Amino acid sequence: MPLARREAEILWEGPLARGAGKLTSGSGALDQLPVTWASRTERPDGLTSPEELIAGAHASCFAMALALVLGENNTPPDRVAVSATCTLDELAGVPRITAIELAVRAQVPGLETADLERMIERAGNLCPVSDALRGNVKIDVRSELSRGHSPRWSHSRREAEVEDVVRTLRGYGVLTRARLLELCGAGHWSDGGGRRAVADAVSSGRIRQLGDDLYEIADPADR
């Protein structure tokens, strides 16, 4: 007997470009979620996509695996936040899911950064979704150990995007927006995430705009 079996169904009507579907899960947690090709490859506009669902599945599965291995290490987490970005690209003229990026932030009393990295590796080997994707999709994981709760703690996509911008600028000093977005891989962010992240980083004071298209880091290096 398997540990679990879960079901989902989509009803699609019309051709790919102009058609639309509605996704429903057997549990009822997902109920008539609309899906279109445009929402998948252009602006989401409040609709979901297979890539978003895979990102959600991977993030939640990895968080469970990490919580398990941290508990087995006698260092149970106070909090774990995992954000996932699933990339749909075109290879040889065919759409392919090519990469998933996981950003993990953990608040774990008594744990050091090197220990967290070991736990991350164990969680990656344990996570069933990682295992299902491995070999077909490039999986990148970055991690950060939080020393305590702060108002900046967030597992939102917007916060993760801003952190990407800040981290990249810190490494390069001063960059044009085009180069900054290129280095951040912002072309893979949905919903115009790259430009939005730069605007969010400026408005929050994390980075400073030097001109119409030039930026530098503004926050302290240890923030």
Side-chain angles (χ1 to χ4, degrees):
M1 285 286 291
L3 286 175
R5 291 174 63 91
R6 297 293 183 264
E7 299 175 351
E9 177 184 66
I10 188 164
L11 176 61
W12 185 274
E13 296 180 330
L16 177 61
R18 299 190 308 275
K22 289 188 177 179
L23 175 71
T24 301
S25 65
S27 68
L30 309 178
D31 185 23
Q32 298 286 298
L33 296 183
V35 182
T36 67
W37 179 250
S39 69
R40 185 177 185 181
T41 58
E42 299 171 19
R43 288 185 59 86
D45 289 329
L47 309 187
T48 191
S49 69
E51 288 69 37
E52 184 174 66
L53 295 168
I54 289 174
H58 201 177
S60 55
C61 187
F62 199 95
M64 292 182 193
L66 182 56
L68 174 62
V69 298
L70 286 169
E72 292 175 342
N73 191 56
N74 294 319
T75 53
D78 284 348
R79 205 168 187 188
V80 170
V82 181
S83 66
T85 302
C86 180
T87 298
L88 179 69
D89 210 341
E90 189 173 288
L91 298 180
V94 179
R96 289 283 186 263
I97 293 174
T98 58
I100 291 191
E101 301 168 28
L102 297 175
V104 181
R105 279 188 285 175
Q107 185 176 319
V108 188
L111 198 72
E112 297 300 323
T113 299
D115 298 323
L116 177 62
E117 292 174 357
R118 289 192 299 105
M119 298 297 104
I120 291 285
E121 183 176 359
R122 286 180 56 191
N125 292 329
L126 182 65
C127 171
V129 174
S130 292
D131 186 62
L133 296 170
R134 191 176 294 114
N136 294 311
V137 176
K138 181 182 178 183
I139 301 174
D140 287 325
V141 184
R142 65 176 186 271
S143 61
E144 177 183 337
L145 188 63
S146 172
R147 295 301 179 183
H149 181 72
S150 76
R152 289 196 50 75
W153 179 283
S154 170
H155 64 277
S156 71
R157 179 198 298 270
R158 293 182 79 109
E159 178 68 13
E161 289 170 348
V162 169
E163 291 298 333
D164 277 345
V165 167
V166 172
R167 186 178 296 107
T168 301
L169 262 182
R170 184 169 290 136
Y172 285 84
V174 176
L175 286 170
T176 64
R177 183 174 67 176
R179 181 62 173 149
L180 174 58
L181 299 187
E182 177 187 349
L183 290 167
C184 289
H188 299 295
W189 293 341
S190 64
D191 195 22
R195 290 181 179 83
R196 183 184 67 202
V198 171
D200 286 350
V202 170
S203 64
S204 67
R206 302 296 305 282
I207 67 175
R208 181 183 298 111
Q209 188 168 3
L210 301 177
D212 291 340
D213 198 33
L214 202 63
Y215 302 88
E216 69 175 1
I217 201 73
D219 65 329
D222 61 351
R223 181 169 177 172

